[in-house]
Amino acid sequence: MNRIVKLPSVESFGRLTPDKWLLLKTLEESAEMVEAGKRLVKGDSTARRDLMAEWADVLQTLVNVATAFDITDEELAQAMDDCLVHNQERGRL
């Protein structure tokens, strides 16, 4: 079942230097989200809250990357449109 997920507004903060560290921070937070998700799949009743906290951390790091690399809202919207078309062409939607 498909759905549109509405994301809250997120303000960037912290270290906003366009560098490898910031990109790797996103990878680190994503790995932590995956680990929480794996615990949830295994039935850990506390993992849902952990998954949501890590998901928020991932979103925050993505916003920080967008700010650091001067990625505009319009560019993000276009990238999402392109992603949709790409997935339609591959039969994923």
Side-chain angles (χ1 to χ4, degrees):
M1 163 178 45
N2 294 343
R3 69 178 250 224
I4 294 175
V5 176
K6 296 190 183 220
L7 302 175
S9 296
V10 182
E11 183 175 349
S12 60
F13 70 88
R15 188 171 178 274
L16 300 174
T17 306
D19 59 11
K20 183 178 177 180
W21 179 89
L22 184 57
L23 297 168
L24 289 174
K25 185 66 176 168
T26 303
L27 182 61
E28 174 192 331
E29 297 298 346
S30 296
E32 291 172 2
M33 183 186 69
V34 167
E35 290 305 313
K38 286 170 30 180
R39 290 193 340 266
L40 182 60
V41 167
K42 290 180 181 179
D44 181 342
S45 61
T46 65
R48 183 172 178 84
R49 191 158 99 183
D50 294 341
L51 175 63
M52 298 310 305
E54 297 302 342
W55 192 93
D57 287 345
V58 170
L59 183 56
Q60 182 66 63
T61 59
L62 291 172
V63 167
N64 291 348
V65 167
T67 298
F69 286 88
D70 294 321
I71 299 169
T72 67
D73 293 346
E74 292 77 18
E75 289 173 313
L76 288 173
Q78 184 61 57
M80 290 307 303
D81 288 345
D82 295 347
C83 181
L84 176 64
V85 169
H86 179 74
N87 283 314
Q88 287 171 332
E89 291 172 350
R90 296 182 118 195
R92 295 180 180 163
L93 295 174

